[in-house]
Amino acid sequence: MARSHSFTHAITRKPSVSITAGLRAVDIGTPDLALMQAHHADYIAALRSTGAEVIELAALEAYPDSVFVEDTALCLPEGAVIMRPGAPSRLGEAAEMAPHLRALYGNVVQIVGADSFIEGGDILMTETEILVGRSARTNAAGIAELTHRVAPWGETVREVFTPPGVLHFKTDCSLLDAETILSTTRLSASGCFKAYRVINVAEGEEACANAIRFNDLVLMPAGFPRTRDSLLTAGYHIHEIGNSECAKLDGGMSCLSLRFTPKP
């Protein structure tokens, strides 16, 4: 089983009514909750269509951004790491996720340093390494602590850099298979993926770089036909999901789930 894209489980969280107060880099409109809920249901159905068990957690009204569960943890084959989000309003989300992961994993550790900040959206796991992008939400101390926490599991962490003005490292990239990364040109040009095959998104379609490979499917946001067609030509099975409302909060496909195979 490929650890980076073959999974038995996923965790999602229902969007809260308070989502309209979610964080955003640029205000491009208030999310439509009903439409977001419909897109979210499509997302969950796509995950389940692969045979995976999807755990749907209840909405957390106290945390407007809590639908974006990926930022709260890193789930690895040997255990899970509870993150320490760089946005102060999101610190409590990680604590809310911890008991759910402890119920599934025998080994759960936590980022605890007062100066350590790290979010799952900055972390790309491949078959051979964990790439972590330093960003406005993930700092050097957070990356150093993660490196320390996962070393006993035989994991290698490589620090890379998120492009200026980009929220998370995975805003601009995603894993397609063990050898292949989908990336924006501005990120791949940095050379951080030189050990991988890279498929660049079409010019003007940078917003679809955040996709996920989940078992036999690549879930990508709808509305990016040139990139979709290039992935179909490359032999991937594509499932398009509406993402217009999450995009208003800087969210994408990977943000909406934790994807893993638990080790009791």
Side-chain angles (χ1 to χ4, degrees):
M1 179 180 287
R3 72 175 203 151
S4 60
H5 57 82
S6 296
F7 308 109
T8 62
H9 288 66
I11 292 179
T12 66
R13 188 180 290 284
K14 294 179 180 178
S16 62
V17 174
S18 62
I19 192 78
T20 55
L23 298 171
R24 64 206 79 181
V26 178
D27 192 349
I28 57 172
T30 301
D32 180 315
L33 178 62
L35 184 54
M36 181 181 284
Q37 290 170 331
H39 290 163
H40 201 251
D42 290 345
Y43 181 89
I44 291 169
L47 297 178
R48 285 189 170 138
S49 75
T50 72
E53 178 181 344
V54 180
I55 299 164
E56 293 184 78
L57 302 180
L60 289 175
E61 293 300 333
Y63 300 101
D65 295 286
S66 56
V67 67
F68 302 127
V69 292
E70 182 182 53
D71 289 322
T72 66
L74 173 63
C75 297
L76 297 167
E78 296 301 318
V81 186
I82 306 301
M83 299 284 101
R84 195 163 188 273
S89 64
R90 302 195 65 193
L91 280 168
E93 294 176 36
E96 292 280 355
M97 183 59 68
H100 300 289
L101 291 174
R102 290 194 176 104
L104 293 161
Y105 274 103
N107 203 348
V108 177
V109 298
Q110 193 159 354
I111 303 297
V112 296
D115 296 324
S116 298
F117 297 101
I118 187 166
E119 295 187 354
D122 282 312
I123 304 174
L124 182 71
M125 181 179 71
T126 76
E127 291 301 300
T128 58
E129 61 181 342
I130 301 170
L131 283 74
V132 187
R134 203 190 295 189
S135 72
R137 301 284 186 86
T138 294
N139 64 9
I143 297 172
E145 186 170 347
L146 176 68
T147 302
H148 172 73
R149 298 285 178 194
V150 302
W153 301 341
E155 296 287 354
T156 299
V157 173
R158 176 161 61 99
E159 181 181 89
V160 290
F161 289 88
T162 301
V166 176
L167 179 64
H168 283 135
F169 183 64
K170 284 207 302 261
T171 301
D172 268 34
C173 68
S174 49
L175 187 84
L176 293 175
D177 58 42
E179 294 86 28
T180 313
I181 305 287
L182 179 68
S183 179
T184 61
T185 302
R186 65 189 170 198
L187 180 56
S188 62
S190 72
C192 64
F193 301 131
K194 61 184 178 181
Y196 301 89
R197 180 170 73 112
V198 175
I199 297 177
N200 285 320
V201 300
E203 184 178 354
E205 295 190 353
E206 288 77 13
C208 74
N210 181 267
I212 56 170
R213 172 70 186 273
F214 191 85
N215 297 327
D216 60 344
L217 286 180
V218 173
L219 276 65
M220 66 175 289
F224 303 94
R226 288 181 293 154
T227 302
R228 176 202 62 208
D229 290 349
S230 70
L231 294 179
L232 288 170
T233 299
Y236 295 102
H237 299 285
I238 306 300
H239 190 109
E240 295 177 278
I241 305 285
N243 192 57
S244 58
E245 306 317 292
C246 285
K248 294 173 182 176
L249 301 171
D250 308 312
M253 294 293 102
S254 75
C255 310
L256 295 168
S257 62
L258 289 169
R259 303 163 296 280
F260 57 99
T261 300
K263 186 175 182 179

